Amino acid sequence: MFEYNRERIIEKFLKDRQGSIAFFSCIDSTNTYLRTLSVTGEAKVGDVVIADTQTEGRGRLGKSFVSPGGKGIYMSYLFSAENCSFQEISELTAWCAVSVREAILECCQIEVKIKWVNDLVYGRKKLCGILTEMSTMQNNCNPKNVIIGIGVNVNNSSADFPEELSEIVTSIKNITGKEFDRSLICAKIIEKLDKLQRDFSENRTEYLSKYRENCAIIGEKVILERVSQKNGEKYSRTGIVKGISNNFGLVVDFEDTGLETITDGDVSVKGFYGVE
Ligand code: BTN
């Protein structure tokens, strides 16, 4: 059993970096907590919140993120996107995927891939999810803080996931057969996010080429679900992924309308997460 070793993270990083690192054994959601502190001005850029377990872990599009204690990484980082356009901020999740992928590669020697837009996968199963949320301060003096939330399945066994997720998720332990010290992986993720803070959004070429190289779904068949603006009904379209556009959008060749670049929403990918 590996416990978080606060000293190990702090020893290695706090001396050289500005932000603080707060640990909780149990919290509703590290993103919710850090966003509240950011809104009231009590948190500063580079601050990190880490929890051993979350009771209300959140994912994109209103989904929940299962966060069992002693197993995964649940952390949030306060990022400044000052001087960035909203278009650039909308790409931040993709840039983060590149950073977290590298942290996992360097700590655990496993090559995970990126499932557009915010998941890291191994094979066709999810290993990590990333949720970025804007937070506006009450006094509006820094309207462009972003909370970056990261959840990684580290030491989970298959039995630690609800049955309905067994075909969808995996963990670093499932992949490598080994348990890892979560504090070391957290420390590496923080190091990569500090670098991202320095790089964003100037260093586009580096992040875009790494995103493209490691995109898991090029050539795959995808299903895009949308709600019709005419009658409010759900409809779906299928197509083949052709690539990643310069603004990290998904270029899809749709069966009905041909090439289109998707920049928001969710796509289901055949063969991933149990989709047939
Ligand atoms: C997703 O899979 O759509 C994103 C999942 C993000 C989960 C992390 S865990 C830490 C942080 N706190 C949350 O409530 N969510 C993020």
Side-chain angles (χ1 to χ4, degrees):
M1 172 75 170
F2 291 86
E3 290 301 332
Y4 270 121
N5 185 340
R6 181 192 175 113
E7 297 308 318
R8 216 178 288 180
I9 293 182
I10 289 174
E11 246 173 45
K12 213 168 159 206
F13 291 96
L14 218 53
K15 275 188 244 133
D16 304 326
R17 65 186 301 276
Q18 296 294 312
S20 65
I21 304 177
F23 291 81
F24 288 86
S25 52
C26 181
I27 201 168
D28 52 356
S29 152
T30 55
N31 261 38
T32 306
Y33 179 78
L34 190 56
R35 189 168 59 178
T36 305
L37 293 190
S38 167
V39 167
T40 56
E42 290 167 86
K44 60 182 184 314
V45 171
D47 282 358
V48 176
V49 177
I50 299 172
D52 185 53
T53 181
Q54 298 183 119
T55 53
E56 288 169 49
R58 296 183 287 106
R60 280 177 78 239
L61 306 171
K63 293 177 189 161
S64 59
F65 190 83
V66 177
S67 315
K71 304 288 175 182
I73 288 173
Y74 320 110
M75 63 186 283
S76 300
Y77 181 105
L78 184 52
F79 189 89
S80 168
E82 219 181 344
N83 306 323
C84 298
S85 66
F86 284 99
Q87 163 60 41
E88 287 167 330
I89 295 172
S90 71
E91 296 170 11
L92 182 59
T93 312
W95 291 59
C96 287
V98 170
S99 299
V100 180
R101 179 191 175 277
E102 280 188 355
I104 293 173
L105 175 62
E106 287 173 28
C107 285
C108 314
Q109 283 73 51
I110 50 174
E111 286 270 2
V112 294
K113 297 282 177 198
I114 304 167
K115 178 190 166 286
W116 190 87
V117 55
N118 66 324
D119 286 351
L120 296 182
V121 295
Y122 188 85
R124 299 188 159 225
K125 293 186 174 183
K126 177 165 172 167
L127 182 77
C128 164
I130 299 166
L131 173 69
T132 52
E133 299 180 294
M134 295 276 301
S135 91
T136 305
M137 273 174 73
Q138 271 163 355
N139 62 8
N140 251 352
C141 68
N142 187 357
K144 285 185 178 168
N145 280 349
V146 181
I147 312 300
I148 300 174
I150 296 163
V152 189
N153 302 324
V154 181
N155 294 324
N156 314 59
S157 306
S158 305
D160 296 318
F161 297 114
E163 207 182 318
E164 66 274 17
L165 293 184
S166 65
E167 290 307 307
I168 296 177
V169 295
T170 188
S171 71
I172 294 176
K173 181 179 170 184
N174 274 347
I175 298 162
T176 61
K178 289 190 284 195
E179 296 216 340
F180 281 82
D181 184 335
R182 290 174 295 161
S183 61
L184 296 181
I185 304 174
C186 280
K188 185 57 85 176
I189 293 174
I190 294 167
E191 182 188 308
K192 295 290 178 187
L193 294 178
D194 286 344
K195 173 178 168 6
L196 179 64
Q197 180 69 80
R198 296 190 295 274
D199 288 346
F200 194 73
S201 60
E202 302 298 313
N203 230 343
R204 168 175 301 270
T205 319
E206 176 190 336
Y207 286 78
L208 189 57
S209 65
K210 287 179 176 169
Y211 195 97
R212 284 176 170 149
E213 264 167 41
N214 294 295
C215 181
I217 62 171
I218 306 292
E220 299 287 343
K221 191 165 191 175
V222 291
I223 306 152
L224 176 71
E225 295 211 328
R226 284 270 152 90
V227 177
S228 161
Q229 299 207 325
K230 277 193 202 143
N231 56 18
E233 278 176 21
K234 261 195 178 176
Y235 66 99
S236 58
R237 299 157 66 200
T238 51
I240 303 289
V241 178
K242 293 293 174 187
I244 299 294
S245 69
N246 288 341
N247 60 351
F248 293 86
L250 193 67
V251 182
V252 180
D253 190 5
F254 283 105
E255 283 166 1
D256 50 2
T257 51
L259 279 185
E260 207 177 295
T261 301
I262 310 298
T263 54
D264 61 3
D266 204 14
V267 290
S268 311
V269 188
K270 295 227 173 190
F272 282 69
Y273 305 175
V275 176
E276 297 184 357

